[in-house]
């Protein structure tokens, strides 16, 4: 069994996945990474050696997500709209595949339907890494 990947390495994987979506862009309002499609945020994100955090709009998965110990409703009343946040420390096991699925759901929730139509169905989609 290999060493656990660092938070910065996991962060790079999640960042690359977010940028792989059609018309996805990374911007830095408020000094944090925000991934947008057509001007609308689908992922707030930050990662360094000590902490990884993200917020996504996942209304279909929110109830199940909020049962996990690392997840909580996104502040600023965004939680009421299906936004969920998650935080991990350097010693935590990060469920990368789950977070990738949340990013996918969030993109599909926020992106215009014409862009979503260009994507493969979730269960058949292979992610580029």
């Amino acid at each position: 069994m290999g060493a656990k990947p660092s938070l910065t390495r996991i962060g790079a994987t999640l960042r690359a996945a977010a940028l792989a979506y059609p018309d996805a862009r990374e911007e830095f309002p408020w000094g944090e990474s925000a991934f947008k499609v057509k001007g609308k945020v689908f992922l707030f994100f930050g990662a360094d050696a000590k902490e990884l955090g993200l917020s996504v709009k996942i209304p279909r998965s929110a109830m199940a997500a909020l049962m996990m110990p690392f997840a909580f409703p996104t502040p600023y009343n965004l939680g009421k709209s299906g936004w969920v946040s998650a935080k991990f420390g350097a010693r935590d096991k990060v469920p990368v595949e789950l977070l990738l699925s949340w990013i996918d759901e969030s993109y599909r929730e926020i992106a215009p339907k014409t862009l979503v139509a260009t994507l493969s169905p979730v269960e058949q989609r292979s992610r580029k890494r």
Side-chain angles (χ1 to χ4, degrees), residues 37-58:
V37 57
K38 299 292 185 184
K40 297 174 122 185
V41 175
F42 69 94
L43 169 65
F44 292 104
F45 178 76
D48 59 29
K50 295 181 182 179
E51 186 175 81
L52 182 144
L54 60 81
S55 297
V56 286
K57 185 171 185 174
I58 53 170

Side-chain angles (χ1 to χ4, degrees), residues 2 6 13 19 26-27 30 37-38 52 56 61 63-65 70 74 92 114 116 126 128-129:
S6 71
T13 297
L19 288 172
E26 183 177 17
E27 295 182 6
W30 319 290
V37 57
K38 299 292 185 184
L52 182 144
V56 286
S61 301
M63 284 182 42
F70 50 79
T74 302
D92 296 332
T114 53
V116 173
S126 63
K128 295 178 189 172
R129 290 193 203 159

Side-chain angles (χ1 to χ4, degrees), residues 10 17 24 28 39 50 57 59 82 86 93 110 126:
I10 293 168
F28 299 92
K50 295 181 182 179
K57 185 171 185 174
K93 181 171 170 44
I110 300 295
S126 63

